[in-house]
């Protein structure tokens, strides 16, 4: 039975663009795999403790019989998160851009994944496994825009999942998402609506390809 791991990182639930576009990819996959399993991890609803990474790494350099209970708990969480990713056949990660980079929730998750014995730096341990990366951006950072190059989140995530884990990543970006609520961006409402529609279409296409 096929398994899809769906990971969300948006602080918002109602009105979240990244969650909605991620749903389009997930539903397209589910339509082709009605008997498949969708495992969900909501990094915002259930944040990973920010102190866990330091505890897990310090434990890795100490004899196991000297670990404190906090270190044991940290290593157990690392094992759980890494095993969850390894076990999935395909992955959908919906990650908003916060302050021009990845949010703290997804960054903590990635740090803990890399602390897993099989997922260390440069391991290529997930070579060939497919991931749809959905990114929601309040502004616009495409080529030719005033803030071109300010998106430091998407390239980072691509490097982690492609270069470090060896995954095949399809990226879907929904940008200008603040146009409806930001007066200075009112002239971009039409472009924002077009971008959102295209993002949903791309997500559905990628989701269907994941199923294939």
């Amino acid at each position: 039975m096929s398994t899809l791991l769906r990971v969300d990182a948006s602080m918002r639930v109602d009105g979240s663009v990244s969650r909605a576009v991620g749903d389009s990819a997930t539903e397209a996959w589910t339509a082709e795999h009605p008997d498949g399993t969708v495992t969900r991890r909501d990094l915002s609803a259930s944040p990973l403790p920010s102190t866990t990474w330091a505890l897990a790494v310090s434990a890795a350099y100490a004899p196991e019989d000297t670990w404190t209970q906090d270190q044991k708990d940290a290593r157990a969480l690392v094992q759980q998160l890494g095993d969850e990713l390894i076990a999935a056949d395909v992955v959908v990660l919906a990650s908003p851009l916060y302050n021009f980079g990845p949010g703290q929730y997804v960054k903590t998750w990635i740090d803990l994944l890399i602390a897993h014995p099989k997922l260390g730096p440069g391991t290529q341990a997930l070579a060939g496994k497919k991931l749809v990366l959905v990114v929601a951006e309040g502004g616009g950072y495409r080529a030719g825009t005033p803030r071109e190059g300010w998106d430091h989140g998407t390239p980072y995530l691509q490097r982690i999942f492609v270069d470090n884990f060896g995954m095949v990543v399809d990226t879907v970006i929904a940008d200008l998402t603040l146009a409806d609520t930001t007066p200075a961006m009112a002239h971009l409402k039409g472009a924002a609506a077009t971008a959102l529609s295209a993002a949903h279409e791309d997500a559905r296409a990628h989701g269907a390809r994941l199923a294939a």
Side-chain angles (χ1 to χ4, degrees), residues 14-84:
D14 295 334
S16 168
V17 172
S18 65
R19 291 178 187 270
V21 176
D23 285 345
S24 290
T26 303
E27 289 164 5
W29 180 88
T30 303
E32 299 295 328
H33 288 286
D35 296 326
T37 299
V38 177
T39 300
R40 296 182 179 272
R41 179 162 292 279
D42 193 324
L43 300 173
S44 176
S46 300
L48 301 168
S50 60
T51 56
T52 304
W53 180 75
L55 289 165
V57 171
S58 65
Y61 291 95
E64 188 169 349
D65 60 3
T66 68
W67 291 357
T68 66
Q69 187 59 52
D70 286 342
Q71 288 175 315
K72 293 176 182 177
D73 293 343
R75 292 307 307 180
L77 181 56
V78 162
Q79 194 72 40
Q80 177 187 354
L81 296 172
D83 290 351
E84 186 175 71

Side-chain angles (χ1 to χ4, degrees), residues 7-198:
V7 181
D8 285 288
S10 175
M11 292 186 295
R12 301 173 67 193
V13 176
D14 295 334
S16 168
V17 172
S18 65
R19 291 178 187 270
V21 176
D23 285 345
S24 290
T26 303
E27 289 164 5
W29 180 88
T30 303
E32 299 295 328
H33 288 286
D35 296 326
T37 299
V38 177
T39 300
R40 296 182 179 272
R41 179 162 292 279
D42 193 324
L43 300 173
S44 176
S46 300
L48 301 168
S50 60
T51 56
T52 304
W53 180 75
L55 289 165
V57 171
S58 65
Y61 291 95
E64 188 169 349
D65 60 3
T66 68
W67 291 357
T68 66
Q69 187 59 52
D70 286 342
Q71 288 175 315
K72 293 176 182 177
D73 293 343
R75 292 307 307 180
L77 181 56
V78 162
Q79 194 72 40
Q80 177 187 354
L81 296 172
D83 290 351
E84 186 175 71
L85 180 62
I86 292 168
D89 295 299
V90 295
V91 182
V92 174
L93 168 60
S95 176
L97 188 74
Y98 289 141
N99 298 321
F100 314 112
Q104 67 178 56
Y105 301 134
V106 74
K107 180 61 168 61
T108 300
W109 177 61
I110 287 171
D111 285 341
L112 294 176
L113 290 176
I114 294 175
H116 188 279
K118 294 182 179 179
L119 299 175
T123 55
Q124 296 281 296
L126 305 177
K129 183 169 292 192
K130 297 179 181 179
L131 179 146
V132 174
L133 170 62
V134 174
V135 180
E137 303 177 345
Y141 309 100
R142 299 175 189 254
T145 63
R147 284 188 168 177
E148 177 184 352
W150 281 55
D151 175 358
H152 300 289
T154 307
Y156 164 78
L157 293 172
Q158 291 169 333
R159 294 288 70 77
I160 291 296
F161 290 100
V162 176
D163 296 343
N164 191 67
F165 295 150
M167 301 179 75
V168 178
V169 175
D170 289 314
T171 303
V172 179
I173 296 178
D175 58 0
L176 306 175
T177 63
L178 293 178
D180 283 340
T181 57
T182 304
M185 295 176 65
H187 63 292
L188 295 172
K189 288 183 179 181
T194 299
L196 181 58
S197 177

